[in-house]
């Protein structure tokens, strides 16, 4: 397994944040793969009832539990606040179902070294043909709308494996919820803190033994789209941002 080069962000400054809900089948392997990189791990359990917190509690990680389900956005929000309280200046988020792998973390950190004060996002463009067609079309539409709102060309805006710098963590209190939080943080970080996004190619993983996604395409994409349109209209971004992204290409980094 890849080790984190000494020239990268020091582990003490960055932790890996794993929001999870009922991930008993995969969570141990995900956490242990991250611990093998000598990175600290923080897990926010969002009201699991399948034994996930009991599994996590036996590992050398920081475990925070929501007594009831609040949604992935609230789990990330809790993790952002806790990371700052623990003295971390950045986090890498990843899901607990095995869709994201620890082997990609060193590449995200390397990109963060090259592009300070950027959100570094995984982009599932390797073997993209594995994505179900309806998900690919929905993701492309979301990318277009979110790029418009953020004033920068983005790719795979729905990927949950990301490096968040301190400037993004400090936006934990933006009004959002559910899966829309991951959308809103891209937009608000750009508008409020001038935080740009760089993307690192990663594998598309939709097969195997992963549990069914908690993401509900119709419901969650509808909410995301509605929030993006509202954000564009509220801020009067119609023409200016559309002009900005018209000839842009996404910033893709492959360390």
């Amino acid at each position: 397994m890849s080790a984190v080069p000494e020239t990268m962000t020091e582990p003490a400054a960055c932790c890996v944040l794993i929001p999870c809900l009922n991930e008993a089948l995969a969570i141990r392997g995900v956490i242990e793969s991250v611990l093998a990189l000598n990175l600290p791990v923080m897990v926010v359990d969002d009201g699991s009832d399948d034994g996930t917190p009991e599994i996590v509690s036996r590992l050398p990680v920081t475990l925070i539990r929501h007594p009831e389900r609040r949604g992935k956005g609230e789990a990330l929000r809790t993790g952002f606040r806790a990371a700052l309280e623990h003295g971390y200046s950045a986090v890498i988020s990843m899901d607990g179902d095995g869709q994201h792998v620890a082997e990609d973390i060193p590449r995200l950190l390397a990109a963060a070294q090259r592009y300070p004060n950027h959100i570094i996002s995984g982009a599932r463009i390797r073997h993209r043909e594995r994505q179900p067609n309806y998900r690919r079309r929905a993701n492309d539409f979301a990318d277009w709308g979110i790029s418009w709102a953020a004033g920068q060309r983005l790719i795979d805006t729905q990927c949950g494996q990301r490096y968040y710098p301190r400037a993004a963590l400090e936006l934990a209190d933006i009004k959002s919820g559910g899966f829309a939080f991951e959308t809103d943080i891209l937009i608000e970080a750009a508008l409020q803190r001038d935080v740009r996004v760089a993307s690192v190619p990663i594998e598309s993983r939709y097969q195997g033994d992963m549990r069914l996604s908690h993401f509900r395409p119709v419901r969650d994409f509808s909410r995301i789209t509605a929030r993006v349109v509202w954000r564009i209209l509220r801020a009067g971004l119609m023409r200016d941002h559309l002009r900005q992204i018209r000839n842009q290409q996404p910033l893709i980094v492959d360390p």
Side-chain angles (χ1 to χ4, degrees):
M1 184 171 293
S2 301
V4 180
E6 294 180 359
T7 56
M8 291 185 184
T9 302
E10 293 184 5
C14 180
C15 73
V16 175
L17 171 62
I18 305 176
C20 62
L21 169 61
N22 291 339
E23 303 293 6
L25 292 177
I27 193 66
R28 176 182 291 277
V30 171
I31 293 173
E32 289 179 342
S33 67
V34 177
L35 292 173
L37 296 176
N38 295 318
L39 287 168
V41 177
M42 182 177 297
V43 177
V44 180
D45 179 77
D46 191 40
S48 293
D49 54 17
D50 69 340
T52 294
E54 289 73 25
I55 294 171
V56 175
S57 67
R58 293 192 288 268
L59 298 170
V61 305
T62 299
L63 172 62
I64 302 170
R65 298 185 64 181
H66 288 169
E68 70 287 322
R69 297 181 186 180
R70 301 178 186 173
K72 185 180 182 183
E74 287 301 316
L76 287 169
R77 198 190 308 272
T78 295
F80 283 13
R81 292 170 180 151
L84 291 173
E85 290 171 0
H86 282 73
Y88 296 112
S89 59
V91 305
I92 291 178
S93 64
M94 61 187 294
D95 293 344
D97 61 358
Q99 179 182 169
H100 307 139
V101 297
E103 285 85 349
D104 289 325
I105 291 176
R107 298 170 59 241
L108 295 176
L109 289 172
Q113 284 289 95
R114 290 178 58 185
Y115 294 93
N117 202 42
H118 278 58
I119 292 172
I120 310 298
S121 179
R124 295 164 294 183
I125 57 178
R126 291 181 173 174
H127 298 107
R128 195 166 184 250
E129 68 278 1
R130 295 174 181 171
Q131 292 183 0
N133 287 332
Y134 73 94
R135 288 294 293 268
R136 189 183 313 146
R137 290 193 295 271
N139 283 337
D140 288 344
F141 180 73
D143 290 349
W144 176 81
I146 296 166
S147 296
W148 187 0
Q152 56 186 312
R153 181 72 70 175
L154 304 175
I155 185 172
D156 198 7
T157 53
Q158 304 308 301
C159 181
Q161 189 170 28
R162 298 175 180 170
Y163 171 96
Y164 291 101
R166 184 181 186 91
L169 302 184
E170 291 174 345
L171 295 174
D173 292 329
I174 60 172
K175 293 182 179 180
S176 185
F179 286 94
F181 180 82
E182 291 177 289
T183 294
D184 290 341
I185 200 73
L186 296 177
I187 297 170
E188 297 302 328
L191 299 181
Q192 296 188 35
R193 301 296 181 88
D194 196 29
V195 173
R196 313 296 287 177
V197 178
S199 297
V200 172
I202 62 175
E203 295 284 335
S204 294
R205 300 180 181 89
Y206 285 89
Q207 299 174 341
D209 297 326
M210 290 183 289
R211 58 112 179 102
L212 291 176
S213 174
H214 297 302
F215 189 88
R216 298 294 179 263
V218 174
R219 181 196 66 184
D220 291 317
F221 270 122
S222 296
R223 291 178 178 176
I224 290 169
T225 301
R227 288 189 65 85
V228 170
V229 171
W230 171 82
R231 187 67 183 88
I232 292 171
L233 293 174
R234 189 190 72 172
L237 302 175
M238 298 289 287
R239 293 182 179 177
D240 289 346
H241 277 197
L242 189 59
R243 189 181 302 116
Q244 287 181 37
I245 70 169
R246 183 170 295 149
N247 297 315
Q248 281 187 13
Q249 294 297 321
L251 175 56
I252 299 177
V253 187
D254 199 355

